[in-house]
Amino acid sequence: MQKRFVLILFVLILIFISPVSALTPPPSLESQVNSSDFIALAKLSNVKESKISSNSISVTANVEILRSLKGGKELPQKFDIAFLIFPELFGKWLKAPPQEGEYILFLIKKKVKDSKGVESEVIGLYEPHPYAFREYNKQLEENILSLTKN
């Protein structure tokens, strides 16, 4: 009887924990393009990582915009980014910091408030952050450009 109780309890725990630990499916390219305020071919450099815990990594990097693919008028040519990586949550997408090199970078406008409650708008990484980076290739660039024209 006790073994049966333990087995039932174990199954119930798995049922309740499974949705929490489920991997977030990657968005379609069309969804990503439509949800992004800015898309650019960018060069990442000076990528640094710090392990925060056994399950998370903090990453900082310098970004240089090489070419704008969407909304580039407001986008600075150079800026720094910082974000966290949670390898166990996003499957194959961004289990480790991106290497230095060229990426298609998806960015959004985001409203933030300072300590005095003053609201302003900043440019941030597409959310969830692992999907803000795609390794550059010419075909991907052409697909994005055709989606931005529609």
Side-chain angles (χ1 to χ4, degrees), residues 108-120:
I108 58 173
K109 291 179 183 176
K110 197 171 186 176
K111 293 189 186 280
V112 295
K113 289 185 181 179
D114 66 14
S115 60
K116 295 179 181 177
V118 176
E119 193 174 271
S120 61

Side-chain angles (χ1 to χ4, degrees), residues 38 74-76 79 81 107-110 121-125:
F38 305 98
E74 299 173 47
L75 198 57
F79 54 93
I81 56 172
L107 302 159
I108 58 173
K109 291 179 183 176
K110 197 171 186 176
E121 199 170 67
V122 297
I123 297 171
L125 293 174

Side-chain angles (χ1 to χ4, degrees), residues 47-75:
V47 178
K48 294 181 182 174
E49 66 178 282
S50 301
K51 194 161 184 128
I52 293 178
S53 70
S54 61
N55 295 331
S56 60
I57 302 167
S58 170
V59 180
T60 60
N62 301 122
V63 175
E64 178 183 356
I65 301 301
L66 303 175
R67 183 170 46 257
S68 174
L69 305 178
K70 179 182 178 184
K73 295 175 187 169
E74 299 173 47
L75 198 57

Side-chain angles (χ1 to χ4, degrees), residues 20-24 49-59 82-98 125-131 133:
V20 172
S21 63
L23 298 178
T24 303
E49 66 178 282
S50 301
K51 194 161 184 128
I52 293 178
S53 70
S54 61
N55 295 331
S56 60
I57 302 167
S58 170
V59 180
F83 58 97
L84 296 175
I85 297 175
F86 301 98
E88 71 282 358
L89 295 180
F90 294 100
K92 69 176 186 158
W93 290 80
L94 205 59
K95 283 188 169 212
L125 293 174
Y126 177 93
E127 294 174 354
H129 297 152
Y131 306 127
F133 304 88

Side-chain angles (χ1 to χ4, degrees), residues 5-69:
F5 175 75
V6 170
L7 181 61
I8 291 171
L9 184 62
F10 179 74
V11 169
L12 287 173
I13 290 172
L14 280 178
I15 289 170
F16 288 110
I17 292 177
S18 293
V20 172
S21 63
L23 298 178
T24 303
S28 68
L29 181 61
E30 184 175 3
S31 170
Q32 236 177 331
V33 168
N34 291 337
S35 300
S36 297
D37 297 302
F38 305 98
I39 303 172
L41 169 57
K43 182 178 179 184
L44 288 171
S45 61
N46 200 24
V47 178
K48 294 181 182 174
E49 66 178 282
S50 301
K51 194 161 184 128
I52 293 178
S53 70
S54 61
N55 295 331
S56 60
I57 302 167
S58 170
V59 180
T60 60
N62 301 122
V63 175
E64 178 183 356
I65 301 301
L66 303 175
R67 183 170 46 257
S68 174
L69 305 178

